[in-house]
Amino acid sequence: MDREAYRYCSSLVSIPRQSYEQFWSSHFVDYIDKDINYSKFLKKYLLPNRPCVFSRKFTDNWKCRQQWVTEEGKPSFQKLLQDFDETLVPVANCNAKEYNANPKQVMQFKEFIHYWKEYVQNGHSSRKGCLYLKDWHMARDFPEHGVYSTPVFFSSDWLNEYWDTLEVDDYRFVYMGPKGSWTPFHADVFRSYSWSANICGRKKWLLYPPGQEDFLRDTHGNLPYDVTSAELRDSGLFPRFEEACQPLEIIQEAGEIMFVPSGWHHQVYNLEDTISINHNWLNGCNIDIMWQFLQKELSSVQKEIDEWRNTMDSWHQHCQVIMKACSGIDYIEFASFLKIIAENRMAFLNACTSGDSSDYARPLSETLTTLGPYHAAFDLQRVANIIECLLCNEDFKQLDHSTLTLQPETMLQQIQDTIQSTRGQHLLYQE
């Protein structure tokens, strides 16, 4: 982040996200084929929460673009089997529905490839249904492979930074599926951003801007499983469907990267045998959207069990337990998440003044160094803003904070002191 972008971000009282009306009638998004600097991407796409597509030039140097793909542009089953053979992988059945998703099973990678070969040979059909290897943590399982690198535009990634620190999970995935495999209508975890790079094959994306999903709900308030289903035209089941805009339809070619902003519901089809790499990620540009999402999730839980509010001493804590089971995080863990992000940036800014970078891991050090001190300061300002919101939140006040290793009030003061100290060292005023 450069000085101008930092000053622009620092001047914002709230993140400006203008109306998405331009996408209601347009079927075009920006196609980035030339080099673009990070600050421009931040101001033009991250902050306003707008989609775009990067050309294949941004993935041309990835090893997987050569190693996993044949000269004809098809998946290289032979090479993939050499690398992953008996590895256990999650596989979904696109022909089956379980709630609003596809049921999954775990199988050996070689078993899936054997199925895939037969599926292609049989004219893309099988009695087993259309199987789709998805949500595979390949980078976590095989960190030594190094078959791709995260583009700098997506490198400010608080979500995976947090889970890497805990060493229990991540949100970096590989998808592999035959022609006809697909992902039902959804928005991404915690309302995060996502980026999706096609290693080979083609995808069709159907995207709805935030807020349009409310017109797609049925009479019970549920979102559709398949947004192209004819049943949505039944006004008795989906009374507001006619009010929704047409989805933004994007064809993603081999090598291209799709940037999906926060809260954009989408449905995705593989038009050919396709391999893709997908990351979910959060940062200072959309952390407020995550916070709004968590408040809505908690409100929904509270409404469901409101009748027991006055009969349970631990009602608020029970709401948090249910919320975490449904969405994957609760308010206390969210505060811990913010703490780790803040501590890493405070250590970085202090290291910039002292010259000692021993307080944080090397990969993180490289990322923070690339993004620079302005970005670290911007991140801290965004964390501070959300902590202030937490401290004013009545539901957060009801919780037991004793499990937190650093109280939010103390963390907020440390952030403010670090920013002030860094400014005192003129770190944030250098040309």
Side-chain angles (χ1 to χ4, degrees), residues 303-320:
K303 288 178 182 177
E304 287 294 323
I305 63 171
D306 185 64
E307 60 187 292
W308 291 286
R309 179 189 291 263
N310 297 323
T311 60
M312 296 173 60
D313 293 336
S314 57
W315 183 82
H316 287 280
Q317 187 56 44
H318 276 285
C319 289
Q320 293 290 319

Side-chain angles (χ1 to χ4, degrees), residues 65-293:
R65 289 283 315 281
Q66 288 77 45
Q67 297 177 0
W68 292 2
V69 185
T70 67
E71 292 182 357
E72 294 76 28
K74 303 296 184 181
S76 178
F77 295 138
Q78 181 179 358
K79 175 58 178 174
L80 291 167
L81 283 172
Q82 288 176 2
D83 288 347
F84 306 118
D85 195 25
E86 296 184 352
T87 303
L88 296 178
V89 292
V91 177
N93 186 345
C94 297
N95 291 0
K97 179 182 177 182
E98 189 174 84
Y99 300 103
N100 258 24
N102 304 128
K104 286 182 182 177
Q105 59 180 310
V106 175
M107 64 172 64
Q108 288 188 336
F109 184 82
K110 65 180 181 181
E111 183 183 350
F112 174 73
I113 294 298
H114 176 73
Y115 154 83
W116 196 352
K117 286 180 179 179
E118 285 193 341
Y119 190 83
V120 174
Q121 291 168 358
N122 292 332
H124 289 87
S125 65
S126 171
R127 288 179 297 176
K128 296 179 181 179
C130 183
L131 303 185
Y132 192 5
L133 189 163
K134 61 194 307 187
D135 299 328
W136 175 29
H137 299 267
M138 188 278 298
R140 186 183 69 192
D141 295 343
F142 297 90
E144 73 283 358
H145 279 212
V147 292
Y148 72 96
S149 57
T150 301
V152 65
F153 313 105
F154 318 131
S155 60
S156 177
D157 180 353
W158 297 8
L159 191 59
N160 287 298
E161 178 182 333
Y162 172 70
W163 289 109
D164 287 348
T165 301
L166 299 185
E167 298 183 339
V168 295
D169 203 357
D170 73 345
Y171 286 89
R172 306 178 184 96
F173 307 107
V174 167
Y175 285 53
M176 298 186 183
K179 175 182 177 180
S181 51
W182 68 295
T183 299
F185 191 60
H186 70 286
D188 288 319
V189 59
F190 307 140
R191 297 304 177 264
S192 58
Y193 297 136
S194 69
W195 64 265
S196 177
N198 277 357
I199 307 310
C200 65
R202 304 168 72 232
K203 290 181 184 288
K204 180 172 79 171
W205 294 76
L206 301 177
L207 296 101
Y208 283 88
Q212 288 295 305
E213 72 277 4
D214 289 332
F215 300 128
L216 304 174
R217 297 184 185 277
D218 64 17
T219 52
H220 301 290
N222 300 314
L223 290 172
Y225 167 73
D226 177 2
V227 79
T228 67
S229 173
E231 71 174 6
L232 270 75
R233 294 175 176 80
D234 183 343
S235 59
L237 293 175
F238 294 88
R240 303 191 67 187
F241 173 70
E242 294 299 329
E243 299 178 54
C245 69
Q246 290 297 306
L248 187 64
E249 182 174 319
I250 299 171
I251 304 298
Q252 180 190 12
E253 303 290 344
E256 295 179 345
I257 306 175
M258 179 74 196
F259 166 59
V260 182
S262 286
W264 284 63
H265 284 68
H266 50 282
Q267 189 162 303
V268 191
Y269 300 88
N270 289 325
L271 303 179
E272 300 174 356
D273 295 340
T274 301
I275 300 175
S276 65
I277 292 172
N278 303 49
H279 284 203
N280 293 109
W281 52 299
L282 290 157
N283 61 31
C285 297
N286 65 341
I287 188 63
D288 61 315
I289 297 178
M290 179 183 182
W291 171 231
Q292 292 167 10
F293 166 72

